[in-house]
Amino acid sequence: MDKLIIFGGIPLKGEVTISGAKNAALPIIASTILASGIHTLKNIPKLKDVETMLKLLKILGADAYIERGICNIDTTKITNFEAPYELVKTMRASILVLGPLIAKFGKAKVSLPGGCAIGARPVNLHLQGLKKMGAKIELEEGYIVAKAKQLKGTKIHLDIPTVTGTENLIMAATLAKGTTVIENAAKEPEVVDLANYLISMGAKIKGAGTSIIEIEGVSELNPSKEYEIIPDRIEAGTFIAVAGICGSEITIKKCKLEHLHAVVNKMKDAGVDFKETKEGLKVTGPKKLRSVDIKTMPYPGFPTDMQAQFMAMMTVAEGTSVIKETIFENRFMHVAELRRLGADITVEGNTATVRGVKKLKGAPVMATDLRASACLVIAGLVADGKTVIDRIYHLDRGYEDLDKKLIQLGAKIERVVD
Ligand code: EPZ
């Protein structure tokens, strides 16, 4: 298994360009199922999870490949409607093909995604919404088996503003008969990017980015050309955390500040300085970070996908920080690994209390999930001596060349391929 070896204590400086957003690319690639023909998507990031989603589309019969940074997807020959367990178990976001397959082909057989390290992650709200639209859904040997002659528009109230649940239901509703209203919808920028892509294909959607989204069904959608997906706000936030913890100055290019208000506010409270320049967002970390409390919330609140990275910063801040995780039930696996580096953290239920220490000391640690891996990289950049991070395949799922981008900024990092 690949490892990263990081030699800490080196101040960083320079520019970094943010890649396309993983959590926009995945639903947008799935949505190509809704329109038969050749789709061309720009700014698709080179990630393991994107590769997996493209592999899934090929299993369904599409042709998909990335050439000179453009992702080409030909959905003319989709003849298979089954997303197999062997693939779905490697990436839960495979569930995003369910809504499009039912809407376009009237049938789907998608393996129920298991839980993952950060939580049980049920998809009951996805299924409840599809049933309300008229889909017949059975669970057979671990598979969701769905049928629908024609989905019907209806009103759906989501108990929780689920991101992929909202995305699945928007996609299903684009080809339904009549109008669908989704209440308590997720407001993430990635939901808006998906809606914009669907609109570019001829969908009629209003209210994306608010908690009430209205979709008027149409008879067919047509592929869009050269749609550019948004930059990854979590990758941008991760580099802000890097600048913050290293006391360094980094200019972050292709980052949309309007997607990061909650993160930037907390970073400013911690002492990080921001300046918008013509090159990009200039971020400067302080000599010593101040401790700040955070509570993760659905967008536009503080994103759960930035909780681990922010915790890494707080391990060496002045004072004590209280971190509350309200989205997932088990998203503190990075705590035990941070403790191995000398962090002083106690956890009670969904609350972690982080007492800042003077220094972290390098040690062998293990990545447990995508954002936990980023957290350990951030901590390793300031820990004295050498930090070896094992199982970094987690990192490669969601960050495009993170180690290379950090080396460009002056970090001393080696990737050991086992
Ligand atoms: C999306 O996951 C993201 N993934 C996650 O990013 C992100 O952490 C999460 O949204 C929250 O922002 C993608 O977009 C591919 P949810 P998703 O449905 O849609 C519960 C990363 O690091 N829930 O919004 O799966 C669920 O258990 C990943 O890039 C139900 O109970 O998250 C959780 O507690 C990690 N029933 C809460 O809602 C459902 O049917 C939010 O989950 C659906 C969700």
Side-chain angles (χ1 to χ4, degrees):
M1 255 177 244
D2 287 12
K3 293 186 173 72
L4 277 190
I5 303 176
I6 304 178
F7 297 90
I10 300 167
L12 308 184
K13 191 162 177 56
E15 293 185 348
V16 65
T17 300
I18 299 302
S19 303
K22 167 177 86 82
N23 291 348
L26 296 176
I28 286 176
I29 290 169
S31 75
T32 61
I33 292 168
L34 292 163
S36 178
I38 298 178
H39 304 248
T40 50
L41 300 168
K42 290 166 72 175
N43 203 30
I44 294 283
K46 283 196 311 298
L47 300 173
K48 195 85 196 73
D49 275 9
V50 167
E51 260 172 57
T52 305
M53 186 60 91
L54 293 175
K55 194 167 141 198
L56 175 51
L57 257 68
K58 283 187 239 179
I59 289 173
L60 301 178
D63 187 17
Y65 57 95
I66 296 186
E67 203 170 61
R68 288 194 300 282
I70 301 243
C71 178
N72 302 276
I73 302 173
D74 181 349
T75 53
T76 326
K77 300 195 191 67
I78 288 182
T79 50
N80 173 25
F81 314 107
E82 179 171 337
Y85 173 61
E86 298 65 41
L87 185 135
V88 175
K89 74 181 179 186
T90 68
M91 186 186 66
R92 304 185 65 268
S94 311
I95 190 74
L96 285 164
V97 301
L98 181 64
L101 284 173
I102 302 174
K104 177 75 178 162
F105 301 102
K107 56 187 169 188
K109 185 177 176 187
V110 176
S111 168
L112 203 53
C116 78
I118 63 177
R121 305 191 67 185
V123 291
N124 59 311
L125 301 176
H126 300 233
L127 304 184
Q128 277 167 26
L130 290 167
K131 280 180 188 159
K132 278 204 81 169
M133 297 173 77
K136 294 271 165 293
I137 293 185
E138 306 289 336
L139 294 187
E140 287 168 20
E141 292 160 31
Y143 278 82
I144 300 163
V145 181
K147 285 193 177 58
K149 260 203 268 327
Q150 165 73 58
L151 291 173
K152 288 182 197 56
T154 183
K155 181 179 277 194
I156 298 166
H157 183 92
L158 292 171
D159 296 348
I160 298 171
T162 156
V163 174
T164 48
T166 300
E167 291 166 345
N168 241 332
L169 296 172
I170 291 175
M171 291 190 281
T174 56
L175 295 178
K177 197 164 182 50
T179 299
T180 300
V181 176
I182 302 172
E183 293 178 339
N184 196 25
K187 302 188 267 193
E188 274 70 3
E190 293 76 26
V191 175
V192 177
D193 209 26
L194 169 66
N196 289 338
Y197 184 61
L198 292 166
I199 290 166
S200 77
M201 292 202 281
K204 293 201 169 94
I205 302 171
K206 284 193 295 214
T210 75
S211 52
I212 298 186
I213 304 178
E214 186 179 295
I215 307 105
E216 188 190 327
V218 295
S219 52
E220 74 165 6
L221 295 177
N222 297 296
S224 177
K225 292 283 169 259
E226 307 251 317
Y227 183 87
E228 177 157 347
I229 67 160
I230 54 171
D232 194 312
R233 62 192 167 101
I234 303 301
E235 184 191 11
T238 302
F239 276 100
I240 294 173
V242 167
I245 202 169
C246 295
S248 299
E249 181 188 291
I250 297 176
T251 296
I252 300 176
K253 305 172 82 162
K254 286 187 84 173
C255 133
K256 280 185 180 288
L257 204 49
E258 66 268 29
H259 293 163
L260 279 161
H261 287 312
V263 171
V264 169
N265 283 342
K266 288 295 179 179
M267 292 290 186
K268 283 179 177 170
D269 292 348
V272 181
D273 184 68
F274 294 85
K275 223 178 247 58
E276 286 198 83
T277 70
K278 55 184 187 325
E279 291 79 29
L281 181 65
K282 192 163 88 170
V283 183
T284 310
K287 282 222 171 339
K288 189 78 179 160
L289 286 162
R290 293 190 290 267
S291 288
V292 174
D293 296 348
I294 61 165
K295 176 177 173 184
T296 64
M297 292 295 280
Y299 193 87
F302 192 94
T304 175
D305 292 349
M306 275 297 300
Q307 177 255 105
Q309 299 92 309
F310 197 83
M311 186 186 287
M313 292 168 68
M314 294 296 105
T315 62
V316 289
E318 193 68 52
T320 297
S321 152
V322 176
I323 294 178
K324 219 176 183 47
E325 171 57 56
T326 72
I327 307 292
F328 291 111
E329 64 270 28
N330 187 32
R331 202 167 198 176
F332 282 147
M333 270 145 333
H334 41 284
V335 169
E337 300 305 311
L338 287 171
R339 284 194 192 116
R340 287 179 51 77
L341 299 175
D344 178 355
I345 308 172
T346 50
V347 172
E348 281 209 28
N350 70 346
T351 303
T353 302
V354 186
R355 285 172 198 78
V357 295
K358 283 237 167 326
K359 265 280 167 210
L360 295 177
K361 288 190 189 58
V365 289
M366 192 171 74
T368 49
D369 61 85
L370 169 55
R371 305 305 171 180
S373 332
C375 152
L376 294 173
V377 170
I378 292 166
L381 288 170
V382 292
D384 271 354
K386 187 168 88 165
T387 298
V388 182
I389 305 176
D390 199 355
R391 302 192 177 177
I392 57 147
Y393 61 85
H394 289 291
L395 193 73
D396 297 335
R397 293 189 51 171
Y399 287 94
E400 185 174 13
D401 297 332
L402 183 66
D403 44 338
K404 290 193 188 125
K405 291 182 178 179
L406 288 168
I407 291 166
Q408 288 288 329
L409 293 169
K412 201 158 178 293
I413 300 180
E414 283 161 36
R415 179 180 282 253
V416 175
V417 181
D418 259 4

